Amino acid sequence: MIRIVTRKRLALLEADTRAAFERARQTGEAAAQASGRHARELGAAIDRAERAEAATEEVSVLLTGAVSELAAKQEQLRLASLALRRLRVEVERGLADGEMLTVLLHYGEPHTVYRTLRDAHADTATHGASPDAVWKPCGERPASAFRWRCEAFVYDTASNGFRRAYPPAAVPVRGAA
């Protein structure tokens, strides 16, 4: 079959071809822009995911530390509760005749009262005294001559109070008969 192509028809075909190329170019640019936009969005999403993962790890570490700290505090609370119950039983029982308390003196002034001499010695270690210090009898020197001094007191039911376990030696007063 023979087809005769006129100049007008050729011009129309060329115009259609240019228009098709232009549409293809515009579609390619739109596709490139969409691809770039999707790549940026994907990069941003990956960045957010990485930051979320890092934050999750940080929160996990903090949570682990908080849980272990909570467990330690609960154990301390349990021990304190047991000690409180024991002390309540002792208070309800009251003091027995001859039971001894120790008063820790700091330069002669009362600092704290303890149930045992060992507790008083341990407390001086928290205030700077050597924990393995050797405690010696004070003799007749005044209590104010010592940084730390322990005095024992014995409960006396007859007087409903305490008296010194080791009273000082009697010193004669001058001119007394």
Side-chain angles (χ1 to χ4, degrees), residues 58-163:
E58 185 178 333
V59 167
S60 174
V61 167
L62 291 174
L63 183 60
T64 302
V67 166
S68 64
E69 187 176 331
L70 176 64
K73 294 297 181 185
Q74 284 177 333
E75 180 63 19
Q76 284 179 349
L77 185 61
R78 188 185 68 78
L79 293 175
S81 176
L82 290 173
L84 185 61
R85 275 192 233 135
R86 182 179 47 82
L87 290 173
R88 280 187 180 143
V89 167
E90 285 183 22
V91 166
E92 288 173 3
R93 176 181 54 91
L95 293 171
D97 195 25
E99 194 166 349
M100 192 178 297
L101 291 179
T102 301
V103 176
L104 181 62
L105 303 172
H106 187 248
Y107 291 112
E109 296 293 321
H111 183 270
T112 314
V113 178
Y114 295 95
R115 187 62 94 174
T116 65
L117 183 63
R118 187 183 68 199
D119 292 342
H121 289 176
D123 188 43
T124 59
T126 64
H127 296 292
S130 174
D132 54 350
V134 177
W135 292 80
K136 298 179 226 163
C138 299
E140 295 301 319
R141 294 172 51 199
S144 60
F146 298 93
R147 180 173 180 208
W148 294 107
R149 181 173 173 168
C150 293
E151 288 288 337
F153 289 84
V154 176
Y155 184 69
D156 184 17
T157 52
S159 65
N160 194 23
F162 288 89
R163 61 177 168 75

